[in-house]
Amino acid sequence: MRSHARHAMLLVGTVVAGLAVIAYAQGQPAPQAPSPPQGPIGAVLGYMNKEPFILMFLVIAAGYALGAVKVKGIAMGSTAATLLLALVISFWAFDRHHVQYALPEFTSTVFFNLFIFAIGMKVGPQFLGGIHREGKHLVILALFVPLFSTLLVYLSRYVFDLAPGLLAGIVSGANTATPGFGAAKAALDSGASAIPPEQLKEATANLTTSYAFLYCTSMVLFTVMMSVIPKAFGRDAVVDAKKMEKEMEGEDTTPLPGTADSFIRGYMPLDLRVFRVENPALDGRTVADLDHAHPRVAIERVYQAGRVYNPPPDLVLHRGDEVAMLGPVSLLLAGGPHIGPEVDDSKLRNVRFDTVEFIVHNPNVVGKTLGELALRMGQGIYLNAMFRAGDHVPISRDRVVRKGDVLRITGSPRRVAALRDDLGPEVKPSLSTDIITLGLGLAAGALLGAITIPLFGIKFSLGSAVGLLIVSIGLSILRTHNPALGGPFPESARQLLEDIGLNVFIAILGLNAGAGVADAIRGGLLGPTLVVGAVAAFVPPIIGWAIGQYAFKMNTAVLMGAISGARCNSAGMRASEEAAQSIVPAIGYPVTFAISNLLLTLIAYLFALMK
């Protein structure tokens, strides 16, 4: 094994050992009457209990800083660092200073849902390609990882004397499956469990404590593991992610409408050049005459007699005037010498370019070829790309334009504005976010996730996370067909929702877990819970990784997302994106996440019914 892989495993092992040592070292009975926090540190921790907003964002900021620290070239990542820091602070505050943090769970839910929605809005178009390419493999991994984990937890009954409620708590906590925990609690509350009534209270406490303890520790360690496992198996996630991106883009790398990079122009053979009129033949001629002589070049501005004009067609030109011409570089180089010398220092150069997308609806345009449209309205504009039904269409003069086609065009604001009446609705880059679509999308996803389906006496639901993924992926796919659908959703805003959503969620999770961890230690549950939970949490995904890499020959970045989804671990998926420096891991995440979540919900429910 390579040296960096050994260092990574050492880091994971250190975290595990550190948690265990702290837990056992602090495992003393709690005082019957907790005293107020003592000393300056206790006072600070107590004050933070009154100001949870300050505490939460201090933890997030410190987590980002800690996550960027590299040891032998390996960084923990902001997600794992934030959760670990929050967990240590909450445990220390509760165990040493009797301060128990209780940040609102509703806040945690809101930010987690924003994170899930933001992921779906990014990955929609690539998701379809991923399903087409790796669909069967994703389903197999989504079944193998939770089922093998379940088998290991069940077999642990023959090794450890597990108290009532621990089976369901371990399987849901080790797999970070919140719906499974909810189903197990519902099973205990229903009274249908085989556990004697006098032990139900203890079983519920065991369920909650083991789930909370394993959820936090598993989340931290799995997140670290996902950032280092490719190197441990001799893979480069960054290289493989770039390879996957190229394969899915094909030979054409033009971003689809409605996607994050749709308005990034890259290189275009379009430029603005300024020429001084010196050709005697042009003296006394109009701007319209010059336009007619250069049909694909636009006269954007004219400097004449000390004034700058947005020139009307009938403006008369004179020798010494300066004209700013916008068009393909080849035509500017060919036509410029017929006007006069190029002027380097001119007042006319501050003409910006805009890139917009027009959705063709005008009947006067539908049915025409691109060549015909270029002669009629192509002066001073550049057609970047053409899309039909969410797919890129090659550009040619004979290409017929149909209703609903999307034309991505670059030109000066004046030229672009002149196309609105001819082509149809215009979509342009924006720094604003359409809150109506965001709100309706979040509500629709949560509603879809809340729909329950009775099956064998158990009420199943997708859960808000799966519902939001389905809605946001669907919306992002529809936006590639019609980029005006849903209004602007800039990439900077989407990225903020993704980053802040997950880190607020895990910060609250860790800060609220201190009491549960302490209870697990004092109740003597730490030993078997930690051992069984660690095996159930990490052995199945590691074997699943080996299957995906060696048997299925899956792309490393997609495999990272698939394993994270099979473990229902959103933080692991985010760590995978950071390690791969790409959104590609999110391609493999939704399918395995949905299947594994539903499967673990049923399993946890059945485990809760057992003695």
Side-chain angles (χ1 to χ4, degrees), residues 350-367:
N350 59 338
V351 176
R352 75 175 192 270
F353 298 169
D354 284 347
T355 296
V356 300
E357 293 174 342
F358 287 99
I359 307 166
V360 177
H361 284 300
N362 191 334
N364 296 326
V365 172
V366 175

Side-chain angles (χ1 to χ4, degrees), residues 310-575:
N310 288 324
D314 58 355
L315 179 68
V316 178
L317 299 174
H318 303 285
R319 293 185 68 176
D321 292 349
E322 295 179 3
V323 293
M325 305 179 70
L326 178 68
V329 174
S330 59
L331 296 183
L332 292 174
L333 293 176
H338 297 287
I339 300 171
E342 184 171 0
V343 180
D344 183 39
D345 183 16
S346 174
K347 300 178 177 61
L348 305 182
R349 288 193 174 276
N350 59 338
V351 176
R352 75 175 192 270
F353 298 169
D354 284 347
T355 296
V356 300
E357 293 174 342
F358 287 99
I359 307 166
V360 177
H361 284 300
N362 191 334
N364 296 326
V365 172
V366 175
K368 300 289 192 299
T369 65
L370 290 177
E372 293 172 328
L373 296 181
L375 291 175
R376 174 178 157 190
M377 61 185 73
Q379 197 171 42
I381 65 170
Y382 178 74
L383 180 60
N384 303 59
M386 179 177 177
F387 304 93
R388 179 173 296 159
D391 294 322
H392 180 259
V393 178
I395 297 174
S396 68
R397 295 185 62 85
D398 298 330
R399 174 70 61 185
V400 176
V401 177
R402 298 179 185 174
K403 185 177 181 179
D405 285 352
V406 178
L407 303 179
R408 183 175 297 152
I409 290 173
T410 296
S412 69
R414 187 163 64 95
R415 300 292 174 180
V416 168
L419 297 175
R420 292 172 187 160
D421 294 336
D422 290 322
L423 293 180
E426 170 191 0
V427 180
K428 60 174 61 177
S430 175
L431 296 178
S432 301
T433 302
D434 183 59
I435 302 300
I436 296 176
T437 301
L438 177 63
L440 291 176
L442 289 167
L447 180 62
L448 177 63
I451 297 175
T452 58
I453 302 174
L455 184 65
F456 304 114
I458 305 173
K459 292 183 177 179
F460 284 99
S461 65
L462 292 175
S464 61
V466 177
L468 285 163
L469 268 178
I470 293 174
V471 169
S472 57
I473 286 175
L475 181 58
S476 65
I477 292 173
L478 290 176
R479 282 168 60 86
T480 64
H481 293 68
N482 182 357
L485 179 66
F489 202 87
E491 171 60 13
S492 56
R494 190 211 64 81
Q495 188 67 54
L496 177 63
L497 290 180
E498 180 180 338
D499 290 342
I500 197 71
L502 180 61
N503 282 282
V504 167
F505 164 71
I506 63 173
I508 293 176
L509 173 71
L511 290 171
N512 288 349
V517 173
D519 289 343
I521 296 167
R522 296 189 180 106
L525 302 178
L526 178 64
T529 300
L530 188 60
V531 172
V532 177
V535 172
F538 299 106
V539 172
I542 290 174
I543 296 178
W545 180 282
I547 293 172
Q549 177 171 324
Y550 298 116
F552 298 158
K553 311 296 183 184
M554 293 177 66
N555 178 276
T556 302
V558 176
L559 181 57
M560 294 172 80
I563 294 297
S564 298
R567 272 279 275 98
C568 306
N569 198 299
S570 54
M573 195 276 293
R574 177 59 179 159

